[in-house]
Amino acid sequence: MYADLLHALPDVFAFTNFAAVIIGVIAGIVVGAMPGLSATMAISVLVPFTFGLEPLVALGLMAGIYNGAMYGGAIPAVLLRIPGTPAAVATTFDGYPMAQKGEGGFALQVAVVSSAFGGIASAFALMLLAPPLSRVTLLFGPSEVFWVAVFGLASIIFLLGGNPVKGLISACFGVFVSVIGSDPIYGNDRFTFGQLEMLDGINIVILLVGLYALPPVIDLLETPLKTDGVNSSKLGTEPIWKALPRMKYLKTWLRGSFIGIWIGILPGAGGSMAAFMSYNEARRTSKTPETWGEGEPEGVAAAEVANNADTASALIPALTLGIPGTAVAAVMLGGLLVHGLQPGPMLFRDNPDIVFGFMWQFLFGAILLVLLGGSLATNSFARLLNLPRPLLGSVIIVLMLIGVYSIHGRMFDVYLMLGFGAIGWVMDRLKFPLPPVVLGLILGGFAEENLRLALRIGRGDPMVLFQNTTSLILVALTVAVIVGPTLKKRFVDSRKSTA
């Protein structure tokens, strides 16, 4: 089962593939250090530029950006009390007080080593858990694959948190976009409105860039971040290898890694939840909980190890079942589709060198954090916080326009991207979740194709969808995901009323 994993290792060490990981890590740290930007947005902007690249080069860039951005968010969180990414909120609790005491450099060293530890643990979890899970899913037929797609949509809608109705609307919008174009069986036009450019459907890159990349940039241009600059005296000059012996947080790292991996596998949870859970658990078990919030290095370690441990683990359900654990994983699924790689069990059978090479790139990306994110980030990337936000936003918009135009060389795609950007901005303001839209687009056509295939096999009898144990289990899981949150809420309310 793991022979393909070892066979893919030499390909990762090819110059272009390994250089892509290095560049991705550096770019990710820069993006993460910019408040308002995120790994999701960075990868969304990157995807159009990877068309002409080899799959491992493109995936290496994505893996590096993901790892780098999750750590990069700690830089402004520690130095300015401004989380660079949502997952870095818990890092501010003790990171900023450390910077105020002149230990900002040491706080960043704790953060980078903790981030690397969490990323390495997450990569190993992906390597160990994804292959056997993919072997199991290879046994699935059309009806089982259809229910997997339905389960994925239900999971992201009802487990994402917030309003399930809004999640359902977002998912339905994504499914609607997935059926635009020519019918895959009969060839009839569907929802093209007479536009020849839409006969092939909506390119997922256009949707990703519009929904995920444009709204944050609009926010940057609307409310430019004003800071007083970074006080270099807060950075410290102690080399990271001298600080390592002082970091005796192995128990915290192990516990935080487990929490992060578990949260990463759950659809819709994400690094923010993992960081808070790890921080709270570490504080609860600490011998000196009264020092937390006043500059406790272990608090930085607990938060950073967890929000990095959910990176690769979020791809376990994404690669094997097509169910992303986080928004970034959903965008990465789009990157796989761009290169003709269909997420799911067939991915491991048809493209083992690429998918296992991708796993190795996640591992090396986490290791490179220590080399590229230590003193280099502390003494260089932190200064990037002083860049004018309007200038940064303008450059990103230009890159987005160039990238989308380069897909087919037509302005129609640019207009479509701007339209999706406007929709994404409105959805963001109205608190509609965006991951269900992406998942609806990815799984919509997938579910339709397998549903119609299953019905053709069953000669139109819908009971063919319920004729084996695996399908019934998936139906039961889907129902549990849908009714579970409601029953839990009613149970909690009844206990409160009784109390």
Side-chain angles (χ1 to χ4, degrees), residues 48-51 399-410 413-414:
F49 294 94
T50 65
F51 273 110
L399 291 176
M400 288 164 53
L401 296 177
I402 295 173
V404 171
Y405 181 80
S406 66
I407 297 175
H408 298 118
R410 60 193 188 194
D413 292 341
V414 175

Side-chain angles (χ1 to χ4, degrees), residues 183 197 203 250 266 272 311 321 339-340 374 383 415 431 436-437 455-456 466 478:
D183 185 297
E197 294 87 350
N203 191 295
L250 182 60
L266 294 178
S272 299
T311 51
L321 301 174
H339 291 276
R383 271 63 176 190
Y415 301 144
K431 306 300 181 183
V437 180
L455 292 176
R456 289 173 69 89
F466 307 92
T478 302

Side-chain angles (χ1 to χ4, degrees), residues 236-497:
T237 58
E238 185 178 21
I240 192 169
W241 53 85
K242 290 187 177 181
L244 282 173
R246 294 166 56 186
M247 302 183 191
K248 300 177 181 179
Y249 310 128
L250 182 60
K251 185 178 179 180
T252 300
W253 286 338
L254 292 174
R255 180 176 53 240
S257 296
F258 177 79
I259 292 173
I261 291 170
W262 174 59
I263 292 297
I265 295 175
L266 294 178
S272 299
M273 179 188 293
F276 278 107
M277 288 183 63
S278 176
Y279 183 88
N280 290 334
E281 186 63 20
R283 182 175 183 176
R284 185 184 66 81
T285 58
S286 174
K287 296 180 180 179
T288 57
E290 67 278 359
T291 63
W292 288 59
E294 299 178 1
E296 173 58 55
E298 189 176 356
V300 177
E304 284 299 306
V305 71
N307 67 31
N308 279 266
D310 89 315
T311 51
S313 62
L315 291 171
I316 294 174
L319 294 178
T320 57
L321 301 174
I323 305 173
T326 61
V328 187
V331 175
M332 284 191 167
L333 288 187
L336 289 171
L337 291 174
V338 165
H339 291 276
L341 306 172
Q342 176 65 52
M346 299 302 175
L347 180 64
F348 290 79
R349 189 192 68 179
D350 299 338
N351 306 100
D353 290 345
I354 294 176
V355 68
F356 287 116
F358 187 33
M359 294 179 184
W360 283 113
Q361 288 173 324
F362 257 99
L363 176 62
F364 295 137
I367 295 173
L368 287 170
L369 278 180
V370 178
L371 302 176
L372 301 176
S375 301
L376 183 60
T378 300
N379 298 300
S380 302
F381 291 143
R383 271 63 176 190
L384 294 174
L385 294 169
N386 296 319
L387 286 177
R389 298 302 182 264
L391 175 61
L392 180 64
S394 301
V395 171
I396 293 175
I397 287 179
V398 171
L399 291 176
M400 288 164 53
L401 296 177
I402 295 173
V404 171
Y405 181 80
S406 66
I407 297 175
H408 298 118
R410 60 193 188 194
M411 286 301 298
F412 181 84
D413 292 341
V414 175
Y415 301 144
L416 203 58
M417 181 272 289
L418 294 175
F420 280 122
I423 293 173
W425 185 83
V426 172
M427 292 178 68
D428 186 56
R429 288 293 185 273
L430 297 179
K431 306 300 181 183
F432 279 84
L434 296 180
V437 180
V438 179
L439 197 61
L441 175 59
I442 293 173
L443 295 183
F446 195 51
E448 179 198 10
E449 180 181 350
N450 284 278
L451 173 62
R452 296 171 73 173
L453 180 58
L455 292 176
R456 289 173 69 89
I457 293 174
R459 298 186 178 182
D461 183 6
M463 292 307 297
V464 71
L465 300 174
F466 307 92
Q467 286 183 349
N468 58 64
T469 305
T470 305
S471 294
L472 294 177
I473 292 174
L474 291 169
V475 171
L477 290 174
T478 302
V479 173
V481 165
I482 294 173
V483 303
T486 303
L487 294 178
K488 181 180 178 181
K489 185 176 184 299
R490 290 186 177 180
F491 177 74
V492 172
D493 292 342
S494 63
R495 292 194 61 179
K496 288 183 178 179
S497 61

Side-chain angles (χ1 to χ4, degrees), residues 68-143:
M70 295 304 290
Y71 160 66
I75 297 175
V78 168
L79 300 178
L80 300 172
R81 203 179 182 183
I82 302 171
T85 60
V89 173
T91 308
T92 63
F93 298 162
D94 287 282
Y96 185 66
M98 289 181 67
Q100 289 181 310
K101 294 189 294 186
E103 298 179 347
F106 180 59
L108 289 177
Q109 292 167 350
V110 173
V112 72
V113 176
S114 302
S115 297
F117 190 97
I120 292 170
S122 185
F124 277 122
L126 176 62
M127 291 178 177
L128 294 175
L129 298 179
L133 185 58
S134 69
R135 291 296 180 92
V136 174
T137 55
L138 277 174
L139 303 176
F140 288 9
S143 60

